[in-house]
Amino acid sequence: MTSPGDAASAESFDVIVVGGGPAGSSAATFVAMQGHRALLLEKESFPRHQIGESLLPSTVHGICALLGVDQELHAAGFVKKRGGTFRWGSNTEPWSFDFALSEKFAGPTSFAYQVERMKFDQLLLDNARRKGVVVRERCAVRDVLEDDGRVCGVSFRDENGTAREVRSRFVVDASGNQSRLYGRVGGRRRYSDFFRNIALYGYFEGGKRPAAPNSGNITCVAFDAGWFWYIPLSDTLTSVGAVVRKECADRIRGDRDEALAALIADCPLVGDYLSGAKRVTSGPYGEVRVRKDYSYLSDNFWSPGLTLVGDAVGFIDPLFSSGVHMATFSALLAARSLNSVLRGDLAEEECFAEYATRYRREYQTFHDFLVSFYDVTRDEQQYFDDARRVTHDSSPGAGAFVSLVGGGASGDTALTSETYRDQRKKDLSRQSRDIHWEGHRIQMQAAFGEADDDVPVVEGGLTVAQDGMHWAKSQESAAV
């Protein structure tokens, strides 16, 4: 007679995803949508608290549209974010930007959302279920299974504490910065020498809002020990956090409530916004929490049968709210690799090398610009010039800056607005393929079925296939 444990051991899937956050649910959904059997194991029970509440247009109108969850997201009632506001640099007055300033986000999609992550992550996980992913919560993965040097499944404890094993052709580690599995790909995490910060944050009722139309913006404010975020999550609820430099870490030791209050007192703009507010002291938002915001990137993104996505592969300073963008972008890149190998199109090594190349480039773009942006002796025009330099984007004014902080610097069509993609389609059909457009051809993607206009990001690399969910050989390499 077969025991429940034996039955679990006999199960097999094409892909097992470890972790149910945005990276994990997105990766599993993109795989399941291609007809592959996907299992997602999440150690907690949703909904659960998570930080990283400010989204970018690239996620709202790009990734969420590909996942088929964009209309549900729009109907969820989240605060609309049209841009950002900074009290930063040599300008003593706050200055703002609008996503509409970038041609990549212009038109009706020139906004994002401030989200309660408990609700947003639940929305993505429920969508994964609807798309065919087998989702099991309260299942803690202990380790991977290996067969002749290749990962072939995982061992885990189910919701009853019973030890189980399940096999698969691939495992995706989306279990975050505290992953137990990331070391299995070899190498190590490389921590930034520059971004070694610590965040202390809580939630307040009754905080002030900037004047319309910027009332839904995230506000970032530099002060002596680091910087503050101020994120409106509803008409009355605000997420407030201080990102403190490592050398100022002593300021957050001891009583966290007192430490946060002292930091707020040192930042007059945030103090004024919270002058009539009260900190939430009960429920899921009732705790003042600490998060180590050290930036890092893994040496390796994959080994045979195993790949990393989201915070398991890397984390970048949160100043530009890039966390969910980087997580879901990594999920898309990894899913293209998984789908291509599972379909038998391309070799595993070249598919995951393409993932690593594209993700590293996006990570490095944010990192290099953040280094220059942390110089608070400069003005916003100098920051805009730096954005043009690191992105090689010649857009005038704040265009390159907004494209970068909106999540569009990679040029991947999946992350930009329909308006921009439609215009790019017309441009490419109308104009000669001169050097001016070389860096932009990768924006032709599944949205209008012409992703074969994509070019490799490096010589000999892969391109995005016409359906947007696989890789393909470039015309140049296919002719060899």
Side-chain angles (χ1 to χ4, degrees), residues 264-328:
I264 291 170
D266 283 350
C267 187
L269 180 59
V270 174
D272 175 63
Y273 278 8
L274 295 175
S275 59
K278 293 184 178 180
R279 189 177 71 78
V280 179
T281 56
S282 61
Y285 296 134
E287 180 183 350
V288 175
R289 293 177 168 92
V290 173
R291 165 76 186 263
K292 186 169 75 170
D293 275 339
Y294 285 21
S295 297
Y296 59 85
L297 188 62
S298 296
D299 284 337
N300 299 328
F301 285 46
W302 75 284
S303 62
L306 174 65
T307 190
L308 313 178
V309 298
D311 285 0
V313 76
F315 177 81
I316 190 70
D317 183 274
L319 178 58
F320 294 131
S321 306
S322 58
V324 175
H325 161 66
M326 294 299 289
T328 55

Side-chain angles (χ1 to χ4, degrees), residues 178-196:
Q178 297 184 5
S179 163
R180 300 168 61 103
L181 306 180
Y182 78 91
R184 290 299 199 131
V185 300
R188 62 187 181 89
R189 288 177 174 173
R190 302 287 175 175
Y191 284 86
S192 169
D193 292 331
F194 192 85
F195 299 110
R196 297 191 172 220

Side-chain angles (χ1 to χ4, degrees), residues 324-338:
V324 175
H325 161 66
M326 294 299 289
T328 55
F329 185 44
S330 72
L332 175 62
L333 297 175
R336 286 172 179 163
S337 303
L338 293 163

Side-chain angles (χ1 to χ4, degrees), residues 145-160:
L145 307 177
E146 290 189 345
D147 184 7
D148 196 23
R150 180 181 181 82
V151 170
C152 60
V154 299
S155 61
F156 68 100
R157 291 193 178 276
D158 67 15
E159 60 182 358
N160 299 314

